[in-house]
Amino acid sequence: DKSKVYGAALPVLTAVYTGFVNGDDAGDLDTPVSLSTTATASSPVGTYPISAAGAADANYTITHEGGTLTVTPAGLTITAEDKSKVYGAALPVLTAVYTGFVNGDDAGDLDTPVSLSTTATVSSAVGTYPISAAGAADANYTITHLGGTLTVTPAGLTITAADKSKVYGA
C-alpha cells in the first residue's frame, strides 16, 4: 500500500514478497512482478487499486495480491488581503490570496468558495477591523483560513475662517 498527496507525483510502487526459500529473493524470479495503478498525479482524493501481475518462476506457484494507493488532500491556505479605506468612504472590495493550489486548480475550482467579511461599515471610526475568511471547502484540499485587517484612516478636513465685513462703528 502507498499514499500520496493530491497533485504530487505517484510514489514508486513496491512489492512485499512472502515465501522465498533457499536464500532466493525478487531478483531470482524468471519474470519480475509488474506493478501499476489507475491513479495519476492529478487523481482526486480517494483510493485506487495497485495491481501486481506477471511474476513467474518455475520454482514457485505465485499468487499476486493487489494493494491500495490512497490520495490525501493537499494543503491550501486562503488569506484575506489587508485593505484600507478613508473614514466615511465605501468599503473596499475584499479579496484573498490562495497558496497551495496544484494541478492547475484555482479559486473557481473550489467546491465552496471562500466567504470574506468585515465588521467595519462605511461609518466605522478610524481604527483597525478584522477581515474574516471562512467557509471555503473542497474534497481535494485541507483548507486553512487566515484573516486580514481593514484599516480606516482619517478623512481630510479643511477648516477655513469665513470672510466677513462690517460697517465702521457697527
Side-chain angles (χ1 to χ4, degrees):
D1 291 342
K2 296 286 182 170
S3 67
K4 76 171 207 78
V5 174
Y6 171 68
L10 289 174
V12 173
L13 302 179
T14 57
V16 175
Y17 301 84
T18 305
F20 279 123
V21 295
N22 293 330
D24 289 346
D25 62 24
D28 295 314
L29 293 173
D30 295 337
T31 304
V33 69
S34 173
L35 301 168
S36 63
T37 182
T38 58
T40 66
S42 60
S43 292
V45 168
T47 58
Y48 301 85
I50 299 174
S51 299
D57 192 277
N59 292 321
Y60 295 97
T61 301
I62 298 175
T63 302
H64 296 92
E65 294 181 4
T68 301
L69 174 66
T70 302
V71 178
T72 59
L76 176 67
T77 301
I78 301 174
T79 306
E81 289 187 288
D82 292 341
K83 298 289 181 172
S84 65
K85 77 171 205 81
V86 174
Y87 171 70
L91 290 174
V93 174
L94 302 179
T95 56
V97 174
Y98 300 80
T99 306
F101 277 123
V102 295
N103 288 338
D105 292 344
D106 60 30
D109 294 312
L110 293 173
D111 295 337
T112 304
V114 69
S115 174
L116 300 167
S117 61
T118 182
T119 57
T121 66
V122 171
S123 59
S124 291
V126 169
T128 58
Y129 299 86
I131 299 173
S132 298
D138 192 279
N140 291 320
Y141 294 97
T142 299
I143 298 174
T144 301
H145 297 88
L146 299 176
T149 301
L150 174 65
T151 303
V152 178
T153 59
L157 176 65
T158 302
I159 302 173
T160 304
D163 292 338
K164 297 291 180 179
S165 63
K166 76 172 197 82
V167 174
Y168 176 73

